[in-house]
Amino acid sequence: MNKMRPIAVLAAGVVAAATLAACGGGDDSGDTGSGPGFNAGVKEQVNKSDKKGGTLKFGHSDDWDSPDPGNTYYAFSQNFSRLYGRGLTTFAPAAGDASLKVVPDLATDLGQASDGGKTWTYKLRTGVKYDDGTTVTSKDVKYAVERSNYSAELQNGPKYFKAYLVDNKPAYPGPYKDKGDEGLKSIETPDDQTIIFHLNTAFQEFDYLVAMSQTMPVPKAKDTGLKYETTIASTGPYKVDSYARGKSMSLSRNPHWNQSTDPLRKALPDKIEVQLKQNGDDIDQRLLAGSLDVDMAGVGVQSGTQPKVLADDQKPYVDNPVQGFLRFMSLNVNVKPLDNVHCRMAVQYATDKVAAQTAYGGPLAGGDVATTVLPPTVAGYTKFDLYPQKQAEGGGLDQATLAKAKQELQACGQPNGFTTKLSARSDRPKEVAMAQAIQQSLAKVGIRTDIVQYPAGDYFTKYVGVPKYVHDNGIGMMIMAWAADWPTGYGFLSQIIDGDAIKPSGGNNLAELDDPKINKALDDAIANPDEAARLKTYGEIDKMVMQSAAEVPLVYAKALMYRPKRVTNVGITYSYGGMYDYLNMGVE
Amino acid sequence: MFAYIVRRLIGAVLMLLLVSLVTFGIFFWLPKLAGQTTDQIAAGYVGKAPTKEAIQDTKERLGLDDPVLVQYGNYVKGIAVGRDFEAGPVTDHCPAPCLGYSFRSSQPVLETLVDRAPATASLAAGAAVIWLTGGITVGVISALRRGSLWDRATMVIALSGVSLPIYFTGMVSLQLFSYSVEIFPGGGQYTAITADPVKWFQALVLPWVTLAFLYAAMYARLTRAGMLETMNEDYIRTARAKGLPERTVVTKHALRASLTPIMTVFGLDLGLLLGGAVLTESTFGIPGLGRLAIDSIRSGDLPMVLGVTLLTSASIVIINLIVDLLYAVVDPRVRLG
Amino acid sequence: MAAPIEVSGSDTEAQPESVLAGVDRKKIQGRSLGQIAWLRLRRDKVALTGALVVLLLILLAIFGPYFVQDPLKYNQNLIDPTYNRPKSGFWHSGISSEHWLGVEPGTGRDMLARIVHGARISLLVSFLATLMSVIIGTTMGIIAGFFGGWVDYVISRAMDAFLAFPLLLFAIALVGVVADDAFGLSGNNLRVSVLVIVIGFFNWPYIGRIIRGQTLSLREREFVDAARSMGARNSYVLFKEILPNLVAPILVYSTLLIPTNILFEAALSFLGVGVNPPTPSWGGMLTLAVPIYSSDPMYMIIPGMAIFITVLAFNLFGDGLRDALDPRSR
């Protein structure tokens, strides 16, 4: 099982509490035993404490792409990097809906927008120091953004700043090639405490972008490029004592971190240790035994451990949050006969989502059945279901649902169904199992599918992300999963349903949906300073997408997370995709 | 003798060149034969945003634009005289023998290999001790009691041992001895011997025994066959006729002669194992060279793969050389030339 | 051991003495070595059991798929959604009168059907790969042994080189590199072809070495000298004198190579470079069992035992065959 996934960073400050209650997930009926209770950590941080000292132990079945804040993309990494680095903003250290709030971190306040949202100004706190005692300046933040977005060497992270900041003329080649002092002209640092970003378009969610670890300051003199991951200059309460790729990382207190400059962090443990490349089963066993505190990947226990953690004595220590990403099937609008909306609607009805859910691991480890593109933990989510399904007794879709599918097939001019290809990633057995479940349910209305499989590493760059390949091979249906880089409607949708996201290779808009109405609605929304109106638009866009029937939502992913007894201040943060918030964890 | 060693060493170097060339071919010629472009290959090494620019940058940085032979030449040159590595604002010098830098993590390959080798060496050495003593003892007893119940039983057990996939035995033993009854630590608990010898031992007991079982079975069969053959030789009859005690006949004469083929096989096995016991390390989560190899292959990290294959081949070649030298010691009939 | 080894019933039965003309062979030799071997094999109960199991497995692989359920059919009503494993059966295996070996966690696919279909892939790949190894190995071995000199030197060094390659790593790399559609093939046809080629190609030196050794010693035998002295050409000596005498070792080592190749294929599948799912393979099932075996142990035990029984049967049979054909090894 692939334990890594891209970040699902950020979420809106304002999300209706009712929405979150619906997604916060699961029933609490299993509350027995003496612990805080099943799903207690989803709503708020449990085991609250201010006790300092001890060693907090993390385990991970894999490794970072890089712990360098400027060269990383994973959600766990964004979450964890805040222990040794401070970006301009971050998310409130809290659980549940409170975790979605963007708060200033290195900056004194959220961004000051001007020029209709095209210029953003931040003031830095005074007295913030690196672990060697030198003072942080706004130039270090500017430099951090430049190196992470414009250099040829640091390729792992997202490139949003490069996409939204005004470029130099000629194009800025990055700080490693450009030996001048000025750097990128669109980031101004009039004084050591001020930083101003000039964007090429009005972008009202810029506070979410600067919450990424890419704004954690890097002193130019200390930058060693690709080797910086072993020599990170810390601004957080901890400094990185050692990082051995594939083995471990250890952190200890940063003597130059000052609590008075940092209202967010409690900095409880004296030491933090991370063991990498651990065996997944073993991580679970050690969590249960109490010799390990956190599974850093944050995607839940192994399926083999599931019965153990759901046993009565352990269940009160388990959380089952929504993970902020959607598993879905794109229907390509340029592949016949799926170019006809009725054929796509037939698929919407005939896809047995419960079967897909079971194939993926069931309601606890797999996720909830999805009816919208936006998952419930993304700001702008609106609940609706345009293609309601009912299950028959003993499993499978009922006759009424199948009849609706057949009706749509009739309208599409394919009364006896049609044949197409369905793609999945070969090295993800659960995804292949899901594809098969869908194949079997579609067959009931005469839609015949051949399952084609490609390796995950090349899925988007060589196969289904290449429109020409998709057309040439007639691949009508493609399974994928998506998590937002910041979970507002825009962050989630812009990469998968915007016409601009169709690329000759490596695109994520697999349906090739290029509806001028949808494109415009998205562009308008992000330029709209009125947050409430923006969020409402996201729900409307979601509906427009579902009306086009080009995306078949399958499940909102969920995971079973275990929180050992001795860990304090432990709660689920939605801003990093439903894992535990690492910022203020401590040990008893 | 000296000339022999020199000749063998030259052979070994040629061998290593061949292995690295083949590895290069697999990774760079084969994909092209299968119809991939350089851009597509480079796209595999770009992060999550494979834009045209990023692909171009990556191609340049990793030197993928050069013809394969030029890339290979640079690699060999790096081993001979070292190489410079652009890490961005700083340039790193990688002294000879430079095995390059990871395409993924930009770590120096040699450093990583040195770092991973002790885990693999611990696994291989411990297992080898168990399987050699166990396998040879069982084999000798079986040969001496040929046809007995012991002989039949151990030979069937030995065949079973050879027939079990190691990852299966590994999973079963983990399930039995570390999850059901918590006698040994579970997978992934390897600790370096320098850090904590007791934990090191505890964590390796299961992998040792599992791995040794497979090999012990093979060695028991080999020893038995060898013993049976030598026990029929004239010189054994002569030794007995001289009135030597049976124990001396068996250990000094028969066993010694039948050790020769075992040593050949042992050389190959140990050499391969030192390059990483891929399946055992995966099953028990031991951070050795085998795991490194698998991870690197999966992520297309060519320099790492090259490093591990070269190291493995080198260890096979060198151990074989040692074995051949030892022949002369064990078997007086062998003369090096 | 002056008499050449023969296998009865072989079309290419060697008649080396007939070169000497006029000698009535039957009067001299009561039984061919093949017959003797068969007599010996018949007395070896263990080997016979192995042979029987092998036969059954082959029949199972060929005809079994027509008798079992659809290996791809989902029976998700048998799965407990909370734990994602079968609801019933001992150890949550889902074993019932309907599903003799239980069902797969998550999907509820019939395990018996998957094991039987897995047998087909496993045996197909290992037989074809063995065939390939034997063809290359025999050819190279004979050429090296027969012609000697620099030809022998080159081929022998090549075999040494192969033996010093980390095979498993190379195989994984190779299968991984050509994982997609290429060379006009796609999907599992390509996967199976690549598996066969990779396994077959890397294993030939084992056979090659043995055949070379045998050829070397046969070349010096009296009957070959005799044939040569009577003016036989190389090709005659090769095909009429030497090749027939290699049939027995080829047979023995093929039988012993098959189980090695079964294990090789299973290991590759286990490491994720075997046939693509949903096509069942034993190694692939074990991979899926890794995260779940502590809660559904039968899902690990069943494919593991399938591999074990198959490999053991081939080994027992091959071992017996060797003993029967080569009396010295007993």
Side-chain angles (χ1 to χ4, degrees):
Chain A
M1 192 176 99
N2 194 324
K3 283 227 150 207
M4 295 292 206
R5 59 198 179 76
I7 40 172
V9 196
L10 325 184
V14 189
V15 170
T19 314
L20 283 162
C23 72
D27 60 322
D28 299 12
S29 57
D31 272 55
T32 49
S34 58
F38 184 61
N39 265 337
V42 173
K43 290 166 224 145
E44 60 178 323
Q45 293 196 342
V46 295
N47 222 356
K48 285 197 177 115
S49 163
D50 283 325
K51 186 183 165 287
K52 294 201 180 232
T55 302
L56 183 65
K57 293 178 192 147
F58 286 81
H60 197 313
S61 61
D62 211 314
D63 196 347
W64 271 273
D65 41 359
S66 166
D68 177 346
N71 198 24
T72 182
Y73 210 129
Y74 292 121
F76 80 83
S77 170
Q78 295 287 323
N79 187 358
F80 188 86
S81 64
R82 301 181 300 160
L83 291 165
Y84 53 81
R86 296 178 66 183
L88 289 176
T89 62
T90 191
F91 293 93
D97 47 349
S99 70
L100 293 160
K101 192 168 153 53
V102 191
V103 291
D105 186 359
L106 185 61
T108 55
D109 212 334
L110 293 180
Q112 226 29 56
S114 52
D115 194 13
K118 286 173 85 170
T119 302
W120 290 79
T121 306
Y122 295 86
K123 292 272 182 199
L124 268 60
R125 288 181 205 273
T126 47
V128 179
K129 288 183 174 146
Y130 292 108
D131 55 322
D132 65 354
T134 51
T135 305
V136 172
T137 73
S138 56
K139 292 189 180 56
D140 300 344
V141 178
K142 172 180 156 100
Y143 182 73
V145 173
E146 287 170 350
R147 69 190 280 278
S148 60
N149 276 265
Y150 293 87
S151 77
E153 282 78 8
L154 309 182
Q155 291 281 9
N156 291 336
K159 305 288 171 198
Y160 286 109
F161 288 105
K162 190 174 185 173
Y164 290 116
L165 285 168
V166 176
D167 202 354
N168 289 1
K169 278 182 189 147
Y172 178 56
Y176 302 158
K177 282 188 190 135
D178 176 59
K179 297 296 177 196
D181 277 342
E182 196 179 21
L184 187 67
K185 293 185 181 111
S186 55
I187 307 179
E188 285 181 77
T189 51
D191 59 60
D192 279 357
Q193 305 304 125
T194 311
I195 185 163
I196 306 167
F197 297 89
H198 295 282
L199 312 186
N200 52 29
T201 180
F203 190 87
Q204 294 294 347
E205 291 175 356
F206 197 68
D207 279 338
Y208 299 114
L209 277 193
V210 298
M212 287 185 186
S213 62
Q214 295 183 340
T215 64
M216 290 174 184
V218 175
K220 189 171 186 174
K222 289 241 170 147
D223 185 17
T224 47
L226 285 167
K227 294 170 71 82
Y228 184 69
E229 64 183 31
T230 54
T231 58
I232 296 167
S234 303
T235 46
Y238 298 94
K239 61 184 169 63
V240 183
D241 291 332
S242 72
Y243 166 62
R245 184 165 280 277
K247 291 168 103 183
S248 63
M249 179 190 265
S250 66
L251 296 93
S252 64
R253 290 192 182 278
N254 171 5
H256 293 279
W257 174 78
N258 188 341
Q259 177 81 67
S260 68
T261 67
D262 195 338
L264 296 175
R265 293 171 177 78
K266 295 187 188 213
L268 299 182
D270 288 335
K271 274 184 176 300
I272 296 171
E273 278 173 8
V274 185
Q275 285 180 296
L276 300 165
K277 294 269 180 193
Q278 301 293 296
N279 180 307
D281 279 313
D282 197 52
I283 289 179
D284 293 348
Q285 300 295 334
R286 278 148 67 197
L287 283 175
L288 285 165
S291 58
L292 188 72
D293 300 318
V294 196
D295 177 3
M296 187 151 87
V299 293
V301 298
Q302 304 269 318
S303 29
T305 323
Q306 229 172 289
K308 274 187 198 162
V309 300
L310 289 173
D312 282 349
D313 58 330
Q314 298 293 355
K315 205 175 174 188
Y317 300 97
V318 172
D319 293 312
N320 188 209
V322 170
Q323 294 231 302
F325 70 107
L326 177 79
R327 300 191 186 286
F328 65 105
M329 178 166 72
S330 286
L331 308 179
N332 190 291
V333 299
N334 294 322
V335 171
K336 283 189 189 323
L338 290 164
D339 54 341
N340 184 320
V341 68
H342 292 289
C343 276
R344 299 201 293 271
M345 286 178 176
V347 176
Q348 294 277 359
Y349 281 116
T351 301
D352 183 348
K353 293 179 183 177
V354 174
Q357 175 197 37
T358 310
Y360 214 91
L364 295 180
D368 293 330
V369 166
T371 59
T372 60
V373 176
L374 289 179
T377 46
V378 166
Y381 164 78
T382 312
K383 195 176 174 179
F384 64 91
D385 186 0
L386 296 188
Y387 310 98
Q389 300 184 336
K390 279 215 175 81
Q391 290 279 306
E393 296 267 335
L397 294 169
D398 72 347
Q399 285 309 316
T401 312
L402 293 177
K404 275 191 218 152
K406 282 180 190 146
Q407 214 176 317
E408 295 296 343
L409 280 176
Q410 201 90 38
C412 166
Q414 307 272 356
N416 299 318
F418 54 88
T419 303
T420 189
K421 285 181 185 159
L422 168 58
S423 77
R425 284 168 278 199
S426 53
D427 34 5
R428 304 212 170 153
K430 282 183 174 177
E431 192 168 292
V432 176
M434 206 174 197
Q436 257 202 289
I438 293 169
Q439 179 187 45
Q440 299 196 359
S441 71
L442 291 178
K444 287 185 186 152
V445 295
I447 302 172
R448 293 166 302 276
T449 45
D450 295 324
I451 296 179
V452 286
Q453 300 175 54
Y454 308 106
D458 300 329
Y459 199 60
F460 296 100
T461 51
K462 291 183 193 164
Y463 301 101
V464 299
V466 182
K468 187 176 179 309
Y469 185 89
V470 170
H471 301 160
D472 289 352
N473 291 279
I475 304 167
M477 310 179 181
M478 293 156 272
I479 297 186
M480 70 177 276
W482 185 250
D485 288 342
W486 68 95
T488 68
Y490 189 85
F492 197 93
L493 295 170
S494 64
Q495 297 294 311
I496 51 171
I497 53 111
D498 190 336
D500 287 347
I502 305 172
K503 292 175 184 148
S505 151
N508 293 309
N509 183 348
L510 301 188
E512 287 180 59
L513 195 60
D514 191 8
D515 183 336
K517 265 189 355 214
I518 294 176
N519 296 349
K520 185 171 183 309
L522 267 176
D523 291 346
D524 289 351
I526 196 62
N528 191 344
D530 178 355
E531 187 169 19
R534 212 160 62 219
L535 295 185
K536 190 161 161 279
T537 316
Y538 296 147
E540 285 159 6
I541 297 172
D542 194 349
K543 245 179 215 150
M544 284 151 77
V545 174
M546 287 311 295
Q547 275 156 3
S548 81
E551 314 287 358
V552 185
L554 298 169
V555 293
Y556 307 122
K558 285 173 86 174
L560 281 167
M561 319 271 290
Y562 188 79
R563 61 183 128 78
K565 299 173 185 68
R566 74 172 204 137
V567 186
T568 60
N569 303 319
V570 47
I572 296 290
T573 169
Y574 289 134
S575 40
Y576 296 105
M579 66 178 69
Y580 289 120
D581 190 325
Y582 301 151
L583 203 59
N584 284 334
M585 275 184 174
V587 288
E588 270 170 4
Chain B
M1 174 84 172
F2 180 71
Y4 174 79
I5 294 177
V6 169
R7 215 167 59 231
R8 284 288 299 264
L9 284 178
I10 293 173
V13 170
L14 289 176
M15 170 78 212
L16 294 181
L17 281 174
L18 184 68
V19 169
S20 55
L21 191 62
V22 171
T23 315
F24 243 91
I26 288 176
F27 274 85
F28 283 112
W29 266 316
L30 215 64
K32 282 185 182 168
L33 278 183
Q36 291 187 17
T37 62
T38 313
D39 275 5
Q40 282 176 324
I41 295 175
Y45 300 109
V46 186
K48 298 281 184 311
T51 59
K52 273 218 162 63
E53 276 176 296
I55 290 174
Q56 189 57 37
D57 284 343
T58 306
K59 262 197 313 198
E60 280 169 22
R61 192 166 59 86
L62 303 179
L64 298 176
D65 263 342
D66 299 333
V68 178
L69 275 178
V70 173
Q71 291 183 48
Y72 180 68
N74 287 338
Y75 183 76
V76 176
K77 200 173 134 205
I79 298 177
V81 297
R83 251 168 132 174
D84 282 338
F85 173 70
E86 302 278 342
V90 294
T91 303
D92 216 26
H93 181 68
C94 165
C98 178
L99 295 179
Y101 286 77
S102 158
F103 276 4
R104 292 283 166 199
S105 66
S106 310
Q107 299 285 299
V109 171
L110 190 63
E111 208 173 90
T112 315
L113 293 181
V114 168
D115 187 61
R116 296 293 192 97
T120 297
S122 307
L123 174 66
V129 169
I130 301 177
W131 92 58
L132 275 181
T133 48
I136 293 177
T137 313
V138 170
V140 169
I141 298 177
S142 290
L144 294 179
R145 301 189 187 165
R146 180 179 170 189
S148 69
L149 188 65
W150 161 277
D151 180 28
R152 286 150 168 274
T154 48
M155 282 309 113
V156 170
I157 292 173
L159 259 184
S160 311
V162 191
S163 308
L164 278 166
I166 187 138
Y167 39 93
F168 177 62
T169 17
M171 279 194 266
V172 172
S173 61
L174 274 177
Q175 174 70 20
L176 289 179
F177 300 114
S178 69
Y179 296 147
S180 298
V181 190
E182 291 169 20
I183 307 176
F184 297 110
Q189 301 246 47
Y190 172 80
T191 317
I193 188 170
T194 44
D196 188 340
V198 177
K199 276 191 182 162
W200 171 82
F201 184 80
Q202 284 173 336
L204 281 172
V205 171
L206 275 187
W208 278 340
V209 173
T210 314
L211 188 58
F213 182 54
L214 175 75
Y215 284 95
M218 210 148 64
Y219 283 72
R221 287 166 53 77
L222 267 175
T223 313
R224 178 180 177 274
M227 285 292 286
L228 286 183
E229 200 160 320
T230 43
M231 292 297 273
N232 287 333
E233 297 275 349
D234 294 342
Y235 65 86
I236 298 290
R237 221 172 302 150
T238 314
R240 281 196 179 127
K242 280 197 297 189
L244 289 178
E246 187 66 16
R247 170 184 282 271
T248 319
V249 174
V250 171
T251 52
K252 281 230 162 142
H253 296 265
L255 185 58
R256 194 165 159 177
S258 44
L259 273 182
T260 328
I262 291 175
M263 272 170 48
T264 316
V265 181
F266 181 69
L268 268 179
D269 285 341
L270 191 68
L272 261 180
L273 267 188
L274 285 177
V278 176
L279 293 166
T280 318
E281 288 178 19
S282 305
T283 310
F284 289 98
I286 298 168
L289 295 165
R291 276 275 296 282
L292 178 69
I294 287 283
D295 288 347
S296 311
I297 288 172
R298 287 196 179 139
S299 60
D301 195 346
L302 175 68
M304 278 298 177
V305 179
L306 269 171
V308 182
T309 45
L310 277 182
L311 187 73
T312 312
S313 304
S315 67
I316 294 174
V317 171
I318 290 166
I319 289 179
N320 273 347
L321 175 58
I322 296 172
V323 165
D324 287 351
L325 294 176
L326 280 178
Y327 272 175
V329 181
V330 176
D331 190 340
R333 288 171 302 183
V334 174
R335 210 171 283 146
L336 300 171
Chain C
M1 285 300 295
I5 299 169
E6 291 172 14
V7 173
S8 65
S10 160
D11 293 338
T12 53
E13 188 162 326
Q15 308 261 320
E17 289 91 338
S18 66
V19 179
L20 300 169
V23 182
D24 190 349
R25 203 170 137 263
K26 290 231 164 76
K27 277 184 189 163
I28 302 169
Q29 239 175 302
R31 285 171 183 158
S32 76
L33 204 110
Q35 285 167 320
I36 299 171
W38 170 236
L39 281 178
R40 285 208 201 95
L41 193 61
R42 246 178 24 188
R43 282 201 300 266
D44 189 343
K45 293 281 179 291
V46 180
L48 275 188
T49 315
L52 190 69
V53 176
V54 165
L55 194 69
L56 285 175
L57 278 166
I58 294 173
L59 290 175
L60 189 72
I62 297 174
F63 301 109
Y66 300 107
F67 293 98
V68 294
Q69 302 174 18
D70 179 359
L72 303 182
K73 186 176 170 286
Y74 279 36
N75 301 295
Q76 288 178 322
N77 51 333
L78 300 176
I79 301 299
D80 175 353
T82 310
Y83 300 119
N84 200 32
R85 66 183 179 192
K87 283 174 188 161
S88 57
F90 72 99
W91 289 354
H92 303 280
S93 59
I95 290 177
S96 66
S97 56
E98 185 85 350
H99 304 282
W100 296 353
L101 294 181
V103 296
E104 189 182 54
T107 61
R109 295 185 284 211
D110 183 54
M111 283 295 286
L112 178 64
R114 295 184 68 73
I115 289 290
V116 168
H117 280 263
R120 189 176 253 197
I121 292 283
S122 190
L123 292 188
L124 180 73
V125 170
S126 53
F127 271 83
L128 289 179
T130 305
L131 189 67
M132 184 169 165
S133 297
V134 167
I135 291 173
I136 304 179
T138 309
T139 315
M140 296 302 236
I142 289 180
I143 292 174
F146 188 73
F147 293 103
W150 67 268
V151 178
D152 181 29
Y153 182 81
V154 170
I155 294 178
S156 297
R157 289 294 80 74
M159 291 195 280
D160 286 350
F162 264 90
L163 292 174
F165 275 22
L167 294 192
L168 192 58
L169 294 186
F170 269 49
I172 298 163
L174 266 175
V175 181
V177 164
V178 286
D180 330 320
D181 54 337
F183 312 117
L185 289 168
S186 66
N188 276 334
N189 289 339
L190 177 70
R191 274 297 174 104
V192 168
S193 316
V194 171
L195 283 174
V196 167
I197 290 170
V198 165
I199 300 174
F201 187 67
F202 278 122
N203 271 333
W204 72 262
Y206 292 94
I207 294 255
R209 278 191 154 187
I210 290 158
I211 298 301
R212 172 182 169 271
Q214 298 270 347
T215 312
L216 268 179
S217 73
L218 282 171
R219 199 178 63 169
E220 308 302 328
R221 293 284 179 81
E222 299 88 341
F223 64 89
V224 176
D225 282 346
R228 279 192 192 282
S229 67
M230 297 186 70
R233 277 179 320 228
N234 269 350
S235 60
Y236 179 88
V237 175
L238 245 180
F239 290 102
K240 291 282 172 178
E241 304 287 336
I242 294 191
L243 198 58
N245 289 300
L246 291 172
V247 170
I250 290 173
L251 204 65
V252 168
Y253 288 97
S254 310
T255 318
L256 288 172
L257 191 56
I258 289 172
T260 314
N261 286 345
I262 293 174
L263 282 176
F264 205 154
E265 188 270 341
L268 288 176
S269 298
F270 177 73
L271 293 168
V273 289
V275 291
N276 281 328
T279 307
S281 74
W282 294 344
M285 282 184 235
L286 281 171
T287 314
L288 294 179
V290 170
I292 201 171
Y293 69 85
S294 52
S295 89
D296 179 5
M298 286 308 281
Y299 187 52
M300 164 187 74
I301 292 169
I302 289 168
M305 289 312 285
I307 298 175
F308 173 59
I309 291 169
T310 309
V311 173
L312 182 62
F314 273 101
N315 273 335
L316 288 174
F317 173 57
D319 223 38
L321 196 65
R322 177 172 54 192
D323 289 350
L325 284 170
D326 181 3
R328 280 177 310 168
S329 70
R330 279 192 82 82

